């Protein structure tokens, strides 16, 4: 019987070949740099005589918890307004009716073109232009009673957000193949039905990551609302440190709360993205933490 | 003998800007007839099909489907342009199958098929699902209700697309090169389904490059060139003994 030579230039049997893993030098250098930076920061913070018990104490103070609650509520309301307006104006901008698309264009032009801080101040002072509002014969009220700081901030942040979201949604809609609308129309759907049932659900995959970004941005932008008297967390913290002078401690407390809130929002975004990835190849579906755990243990068991 | 004309195109013109793509098309298709449209790429076949279900608006001329003018509501001797809603209503009785399937990727096979009937025709979901399963069996895909389009081969996707069109119980189905995007070994399964539909008496207008299919299934074949129908007749005449030099040239290239 003839022995067959193994393939390969040297003819070594494959059992004798040893694999040397790549060394990832960059990762090690990077990790070392990060550790050094953290050590330096820790040293600086400890030298600055931050009174950590104060931080701990103020972490659970009711006004601050209420403050982050207000920030979250304002985020939710403003984003809801922004999303609805964004979707409506994005669809309007793609309309064949020049009046409809023109109105949407004008809205985006105005609300993207002026600082959100300015817009907040204008909403808050709207009573200077419209002292009373109402539906003639049915209802009327004084503007300053209706437009409380929270309402003014919700409308101001929401309308500003809508102008940005509109462009994100429009991009999402344009990313969906024209053939989808045609196929929907071919089964008798109107353009609006096709948009709602076929195009928008697919556009969501493109829309959610940037909108998630904007939700997080919004949470932080709510701190501007303190300028018109909304008692959100940062303004409450300032009220406290004006009195007790524990400036850095209170700012750290705020940072902790913001980070916590952002983390929760990111988790929400993760599951939302998974939901709208329906029908795409499973390769693109990120694993849930549970699936990740089971997959790790699964491979361990196999090994 | 009375023949029942379902589709009548009269002097159909269509321009995109200065580019005149359809230059006066006349065609009558009888109820239950299968007409294949042949012609080189760019000769206006897709545009003509799209005009029939009002995905494009005519520049000139008229198309009737049944007793209705496509894209208009007739009142005495006046034609009123249809609103989007009315146009959608008119399209319900006309199915369309696209070259690139255009299934809804975020919906399962079942959802793809029942979407139109449930949303547009207000059929009860249970009834729509039952009908969908029947249609899936008819196109040879029983049991694939819960698959997503991405999990299916091209041929399977196109058969789902045919089932989706059938679910609306159309009186006419338009096929725009239904097998052109398929791997050669998958063409047969789609053509088989279409042959079956033709036998069942459905009225079909089929844009295709499958000469064999046209020969076997079509009642008449129309050959398009430069936005006109230059030859029209039974398949054996047009394909076996073409008169127009363009038809001859095209057929010699295809075979
Ligand atoms: N939406 C459109 N806008 C401009 N030109 C178009 C459009 N659709 C088709 N055309 C032009 O019309 C001609 C015929 O196209 P088409 O009907 O798709 O031909 P076929 O289906 O026979 O290949 C082509 O020259 C094409 O460029
Ligand atoms: Mg074509």
């Amino acid at each position: 019987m003839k022995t067959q030579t193994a393939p390969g230039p040297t003819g070594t049997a494959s059992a004798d070949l040893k694999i040397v893993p790549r060394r990832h030098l960059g990762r090690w250098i990077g990790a070392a740099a990060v550790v050094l930076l953290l050590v330096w920061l820790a040293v600086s913070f400890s030298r600055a005589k931050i009174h950590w018990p104060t931080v701990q104490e103020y972490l659970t103070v009711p006004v601050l918890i209420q403050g982050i609650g207000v920030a979250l509520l304002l985020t939710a309301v403003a984003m809801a307004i922004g999303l609805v307006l964004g979707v409506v104006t994005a669809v309007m901008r793609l309309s064949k009716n020049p009046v409809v698309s023109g109105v949407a264009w004008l809205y985006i032009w105005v609300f993207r073109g002026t600082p959100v801080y300015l817009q907040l101040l204008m909403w808050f002072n709207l009573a200077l232009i419209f002292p009373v509002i109402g539906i003639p014969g049915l209802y009327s009220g004084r503007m300053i009673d209706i437009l409380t700081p929270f309402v003014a901030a919700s409308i101001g942040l929401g309308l500003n957000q809508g102008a940005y979201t509109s462009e994100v949604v429009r991009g999402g809609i344009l990313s969906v193949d024209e053939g989808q609308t045609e196929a929907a129309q071919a089964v008798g759907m109107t353009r609006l039905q096709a948009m709602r049932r076929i195009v928008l659900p697919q556009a969501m995959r493109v829309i959610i990551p940037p909108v998630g970004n904007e939700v997080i941005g919004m949470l932080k932008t709510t701190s501007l609302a303190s300028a018109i008297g909304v008692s959100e967390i940062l303004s409450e913290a300032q009220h406290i440190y004006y009195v007790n002078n524990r400036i850095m401690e209170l700012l750290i407390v705020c940072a902790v709360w913001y980070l916590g809130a952002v983390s929760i929002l990111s988790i929400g975004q993760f599951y939302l993205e998974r939901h709208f990835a329906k029908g795409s190849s499973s390769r693109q579906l990120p694993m849930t933490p549970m699936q990740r755990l089971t997959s790790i243990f699964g491979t361990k068991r196999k090994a | 003998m009375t023949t029942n004309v379902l589709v009548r195109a009269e002097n159909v013109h269509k321009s995109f800007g200065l580019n005149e793509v359809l230059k006066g098309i006349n065609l009558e298709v009888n109820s239950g007839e299968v007409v294949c449209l042949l012609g080189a790429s760019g000769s206006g076949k897709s545009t003509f099909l799209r005009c029939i279900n009002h995905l494009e608006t005519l520049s000139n001329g008229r198309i009737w489907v049944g007793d209705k003018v496509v894209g208009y509501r007739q009142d005495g001797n006046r034609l009123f342009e249809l609103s989007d809603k009315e146009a959608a209503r008119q399209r319900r009785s006309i199915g369309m199958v696209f070259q690139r399937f255009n299934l809804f990727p975020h919906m399962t096979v079942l959802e793809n098929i029942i979407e139109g009937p449930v949303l547009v025709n207000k059929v009860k979901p249970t009834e729509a699902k039952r009908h969908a399963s029947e249609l899936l069996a008819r196109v040879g895909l029983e049991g694939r209700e819960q698959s997503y389009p991405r999990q299916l081969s091209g041929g399977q996707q196109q058969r789902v697309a045919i089932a989706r069109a059938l679910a609306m119980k159309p009186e006419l189905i338009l096929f725009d090169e239904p097998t052109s995007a398929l791997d050669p070994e998958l063409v047969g399964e789609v053509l088989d389904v279409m042959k079956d539909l033709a036998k069942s008496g459905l009225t079909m207008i089929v844009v295709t490059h499958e000469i064999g299919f046209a020969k076997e299934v079509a009642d008449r074949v129309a050959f398009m060139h430069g936005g006109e129908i230059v030859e029209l007749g039974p398949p054996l005449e047009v394909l076996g003994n073409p008169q127009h030099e363009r038809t001859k040239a095209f057929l010699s290239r295809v075979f």
Side-chain angles (χ1 to χ4, degrees), chain A residues 177 179-180 182-193 196-198 201-202 278-281 284, chain B residues 50 55 84-85 88 91-92 94 96 98 100 102-107 115-116 119-120 148 150 164 168:
Chain A
D177 183 48
Q180 291 290 311
E182 289 185 354
Q185 286 183 303
V187 292
M189 288 190 216
T190 62
R191 291 194 78 83
L192 222 53
Q193 283 174 324
R196 190 167 54 82
R197 297 283 308 171
I198 306 302
Q202 293 180 61
K278 250 190 334 185
S280 63
S281 65
Q284 284 168 326
Chain B
R50 294 160 57 79
L55 287 175
D84 181 44
K85 210 169 176 176
R91 281 192 202 99
R92 290 182 198 179
I94 307 171
M96 186 148 188
F98 300 85
R100 287 185 301 121
N102 295 356
L103 291 179
F104 309 133
H106 60 303
M107 294 181 172
E115 182 69 14
L119 186 75
V120 175
Y148 280 97
R150 209 178 268 249
R164 176 175 70 179
M168 294 295 289

Side-chain angles (χ1 to χ4, degrees), chain B residues 141-201:
Chain B
L141 288 170
E142 49 272 277
R144 299 310 296 264
E145 281 87 348
Q146 299 310 323
S147 306
Y148 280 97
R150 209 178 268 249
Q151 298 162 336
L152 302 178
S153 73
Q156 290 172 326
Q157 288 190 47
Q158 193 60 299
R159 286 186 279 149
V160 172
I162 292 173
R164 176 175 70 179
L166 289 173
M168 294 295 289
K169 301 186 174 151
E171 52 185 348
L172 164 71
I173 300 197
L174 311 169
F175 293 84
D176 191 359
E177 302 198 28
T179 58
S180 296
L182 298 177
D183 292 336
E185 77 268 24
L186 302 177
V187 168
E189 63 190 52
V190 173
L191 293 183
D192 285 344
V193 168
M194 290 169 62
K195 279 176 204 166
D196 193 51
L197 294 183
K199 272 195 216 120
S200 76

